[in-house]
Structures are given as structure tokens and as C-alpha cells.
Amino acid sequence: MKITLTQFVSLDGVSQGPGAADEDVSEGFTRGGWFVPFMDAAFVRTASEWLDQADGLLFGRRTYEAFARDWPQITEPDPFTVRMNSLPKYLVSSTLAEGSWAPTTVLGGDPVTSVARLREQPGRELQIHGSARLGGFLVASGLVDTVRLVVAPTVVGEGRRLFTHPSQSTGFRLVGREHTPSGLVLLEYATTGTAPLADYEGVDALT
């Protein structure tokens, strides 16, 4: 399976608390809900198309517990309910021995080893939704194949960024882009390994 990370981010790179004021108030964050004003039908349609490609969902503990609490209570005609509740879930956790949101498999031990083993299984996409800490860690570990960023036209000004001090640089290649009427920019990148470095020498040859 390919591992795909989908994240909502602001123009200043914040990924914390996009969906509600009380979604994630850790470290004193008070500006949650910054993504919601820009949701529109075009975004929902594309997000549904992305979820169609999933053969499994991968979570860190914090996002898993929130989703396990909320998604079983969401009823149709929400366009994501059946798939979110029925897809296999894989939980990376050193503190939980079992999951409450069936079907769930807990991946214990070293997360790099357990996720790499899962990635070798047949299938299409193993998707990370939320779980920014886990997603950033797996990008830095070279285990993420695709990153989908949904960029909201807002500067939050505080909060946890998606990529915070990764252990190594990572390069990306743009493979898809679109925008919605509300101003969301949807960017799809393939990871390309270590990010290249260069200086301005020879730049005249490119102009």
C-alpha cells in the first residue's frame, strides 16, 4: 500500500485545531475552527474522491480517540460516514492495547518497523487523516508516498505547525492541484527522498 497523508493547513503552516474551537486546545491554543469557514461542496467532492482510494486508515492515538468518539455518532446522509466507520483502522500507540472503533488493529512496538511492515501489504492507499505528529514523523522517516495539503486562505498566527523540526529534509514533486470557490487550494505531492540543495551560481542559465 502507498501511505498518503492528508492535512488541513493555514497559510502560516498551522495544522492544529482546524475543525472546532475545542478540537485541540493543547499548549494553550485558542484559535481552533479556522478551516471550517472555507469548506464548500467542491472540497467535499474531492475529499470523497480521495477517500474512495483508501483500503485502510492510519492514526495516532489522539486523533483516533477523537474520531472513535465522533464518527460512530454521525449518521447518513454524511458522505463519509459509511466508509470512515467500515474501513480497517490501524492505530500507532504505545499506551492503548486495543481499539474501540471496529475494525481496529493496534500497531505496537517501534512505529517505523510496524508501519513499514504494513506498507508492504497489498492494497491501494493507507491514509492518514489528522494525526499531524504521526504524519510528520512518518514523512521524516521516508514512509509517506503522497502528501495532500488543503491550504486555507487564513493566517492563524499561533499553533502547532505540520512539519516541526523534522529529523531530515524531504523533497516533494507536485502531481496535482486545484482550488475551490471558497479559496481552498488543494495540493498533491509525491515524496522524492532527501530535498535537493543548490545556490545561485548558474542561475542566469535558467533565465
Side-chain angles (χ1 to χ4, degrees), residues 8 35-48 79-80 150-153 178-186:
F8 304 156
F35 181 81
V36 177
F38 306 101
M39 292 184 65
D40 57 19
F43 163 70
V44 171
R45 182 173 59 253
T46 298
S48 181
F80 304 102
V150 184
V151 185
E178 61 181 286
H179 64 275
T180 75
S182 69
L184 294 173
V185 178
L186 285 57

Coordinates of all heavy atoms in Angstrom, one line a residue, residues 8 35-48 79-80 150-153 178-186:
F8 N -5.1 19.5 6.7 CA -5.5 20.9 6.6 C -4.5 21.8 7.2 O -4.0 21.6 8.3 CB -6.9 21.1 7.3 CG -8.0 20.2 6.9 CD1 -9.0 20.0 7.8 CD2 -8.0 19.6 5.7 CE1 -10.1 19.1 7.4 CE2 -9.0 18.8 5.3 CZ -10.1 18.5 6.2
F35 N -10.5 26.4 9.8 CA -10.7 25.8 8.5 C -12.2 25.8 8.1 O -12.5 25.9 6.9 CB -10.2 24.4 8.5 CG -10.3 23.6 7.2 CD1 -9.4 23.8 6.1 CD2 -11.4 22.8 6.9 CE1 -9.6 23.2 4.9 CE2 -11.5 22.1 5.7 CZ -10.6 22.3 4.7
V36 N -13.1 25.7 9.0 CA -14.5 25.5 8.7 C -15.1 26.5 7.8 O -15.9 26.2 6.9 CB -15.3 25.3 10.0 CG1 -16.7 25.1 9.8 CG2 -14.7 24.1 10.8
P37 N -14.8 27.8 8.0 CA -15.5 28.8 7.2 C -15.2 28.7 5.7 O -15.9 29.2 4.8 CB -14.9 30.2 7.6 CG -14.4 29.9 9.0 CD -14.0 28.5 9.0
F38 N -14.2 27.9 5.3 CA -13.9 27.7 3.9 C -14.3 26.4 3.2 O -14.1 26.2 2.1 CB -12.4 27.9 3.7 CG -11.9 29.2 4.3 CD1 -11.2 29.2 5.5 CD2 -12.1 30.4 3.7 CE1 -10.8 30.4 6.1 CE2 -11.6 31.6 4.2 CZ -11.0 31.6 5.4
M39 N -15.0 25.6 4.0 CA -15.5 24.3 3.5 C -16.6 24.6 2.5 O -17.4 25.4 2.7 CB -16.0 23.4 4.6 CG -14.9 22.9 5.5 SD -15.5 21.7 6.7 CE -16.0 20.3 5.7
D40 N -16.5 23.9 1.3 CA -17.6 24.1 0.3 C -17.8 22.7 -0.4 O -17.1 21.7 -0.2 CB -17.2 25.2 -0.7 CG -15.9 25.0 -1.4 OD1 -15.4 23.9 -1.4 OD2 -15.3 26.0 -1.9
A41 N -18.8 22.7 -1.3 CA -19.1 21.5 -2.0 C -18.0 20.9 -2.8 O -17.8 19.7 -2.9 CB -20.4 21.7 -2.8
A42 N -17.2 21.8 -3.4 CA -16.1 21.3 -4.3 C -15.1 20.6 -3.5 O -14.5 19.6 -3.9 CB -15.5 22.5 -5.0
F43 N -14.8 21.1 -2.3 CA -13.8 20.4 -1.4 C -14.4 19.1 -1.0 O -13.7 18.1 -1.0 CB -13.5 21.3 -0.2 CG -12.9 20.5 0.9 CD1 -11.6 20.0 0.8 CD2 -13.6 20.2 2.1 CE1 -11.0 19.2 1.8 CE2 -13.0 19.4 3.1 CZ -11.7 18.9 2.9
V44 N -15.6 19.1 -0.5 CA -16.2 17.8 -0.1 C -16.2 16.8 -1.2 O -15.9 15.6 -1.0 CB -17.7 18.0 0.4 CG1 -18.4 16.7 0.7 CG2 -17.7 18.9 1.7
R45 N -16.5 17.2 -2.4 CA -16.4 16.2 -3.6 C -15.0 15.6 -3.7 O -14.9 14.4 -3.9 CB -16.9 16.9 -4.8 CG -16.9 16.0 -6.0 CD -17.5 16.7 -7.2 NE -16.8 18.0 -7.6 CZ -17.2 19.2 -7.4 NH1 -18.4 19.4 -6.8 NH2 -16.5 20.2 -7.8
T46 N -14.0 16.5 -3.7 CA -12.6 16.0 -3.9 C -12.2 15.1 -2.7 O -11.6 14.1 -2.9 CB -11.7 17.2 -4.0 OG1 -12.0 17.9 -5.2 CG2 -10.2 16.7 -4.2
A47 N -12.6 15.5 -1.5 CA -12.2 14.7 -0.3 C -12.9 13.3 -0.4 O -12.3 12.3 0.0 CB -12.6 15.5 0.9
S48 N -14.1 13.3 -0.9 CA -14.8 12.0 -1.1 C -14.0 11.1 -2.1 O -13.9 9.9 -1.9 CB -16.2 12.2 -1.5 OG -16.9 11.0 -1.6
P79 N -21.5 12.2 3.6 CA -20.9 11.5 2.5 C -19.8 10.6 2.9 O -19.3 9.8 2.1 CB -20.5 12.6 1.5 CG -20.2 13.8 2.4 CD -21.2 13.7 3.5
F80 N -19.3 10.7 4.2 CA -18.1 9.9 4.6 C -18.4 8.8 5.6 O -17.5 8.0 5.9 CB -17.0 10.9 5.1 CG -16.6 12.0 4.2 CD1 -17.2 13.3 4.4 CD2 -15.8 11.8 3.1 CE1 -16.8 14.3 3.5 CE2 -15.4 12.8 2.3 CZ -15.9 14.0 2.5
V150 N -4.5 20.7 2.1 CA -5.7 21.5 1.8 C -5.4 22.8 2.6 O -5.4 22.9 3.8 CB -7.0 20.9 2.3 CG1 -8.2 21.8 2.0 CG2 -7.1 19.5 1.8
V151 N -5.0 23.8 1.8 CA -4.5 25.1 2.3 C -5.6 26.1 2.4 O -6.3 26.5 1.4 CB -3.4 25.7 1.5 CG1 -2.8 26.9 2.1 CG2 -2.3 24.6 1.3
A152 N -5.9 26.6 3.6 CA -7.0 27.6 3.8 C -6.4 29.0 3.7 O -5.3 29.2 4.2 CB -7.6 27.4 5.2
P153 N -7.1 29.9 3.1 CA -6.6 31.3 3.0 C -6.8 32.1 4.2 O -7.5 33.0 4.3 CB -7.5 31.8 1.8 CG -8.8 31.1 2.0 CD -8.5 29.7 2.5
E178 N -5.7 22.0 -7.4 CA -6.9 22.6 -7.8 C -7.3 23.6 -6.7 O -6.7 23.6 -5.6 CB -8.0 21.5 -8.0 CG -8.3 20.7 -6.8 CD -9.4 19.7 -7.0 OE1 -10.6 20.1 -7.1 OE2 -9.1 18.5 -7.1
H179 N -8.3 24.4 -7.0 CA -8.8 25.3 -6.0 C -10.3 25.3 -6.0 O -11.0 24.9 -6.9 CB -8.3 26.7 -6.2 CG -8.7 27.3 -7.5 ND1 -8.1 27.1 -8.7 CD2 -9.8 28.2 -7.7 CE1 -8.8 27.8 -9.6 NE2 -9.8 28.4 -9.1
T180 N -10.9 25.7 -4.9 CA -12.3 25.7 -4.7 C -12.9 27.1 -4.7 O -12.1 28.1 -4.5 CB -12.7 25.0 -3.4 OG1 -12.5 25.8 -2.3 CG2 -12.0 23.7 -3.3
P181 N -14.2 27.3 -4.9 CA -14.7 28.6 -4.9 C -14.5 29.4 -3.6 O -14.4 30.6 -3.6 CB -16.2 28.4 -5.1 CG -16.3 27.1 -5.9 CD -15.2 26.3 -5.3
S182 N -14.4 28.7 -2.5 CA -14.2 29.4 -1.2 C -12.7 29.8 -1.0 O -12.5 30.5 0.0 CB -14.6 28.5 0.0 OG -13.7 27.4 0.1
G183 N -11.8 29.4 -1.9 CA -10.4 29.8 -1.7 C -9.5 28.8 -1.2 O -8.3 29.0 -1.1
L184 N -10.0 27.6 -1.0 CA -9.1 26.5 -0.6 C -8.2 26.1 -1.8 O -8.7 26.0 -2.9 CB -9.9 25.3 -0.1 CG -10.7 25.4 1.2 CD1 -11.5 24.1 1.4 CD2 -9.8 25.6 2.4
V185 N -6.9 25.8 -1.5 CA -6.0 25.3 -2.5 C -5.7 23.9 -2.1 O -5.2 23.6 -1.0 CB -4.8 26.1 -2.6 CG1 -3.8 25.5 -3.7 CG2 -5.1 27.6 -3.0
L186 N -5.9 22.9 -3.0 CA -5.7 21.5 -2.8 C -4.5 21.1 -3.6 O -4.5 21.1 -4.8 CB -6.9 20.7 -3.2 CG -8.1 20.7 -2.3 CD1 -8.7 22.1 -2.1 CD2 -9.2 19.8 -2.9

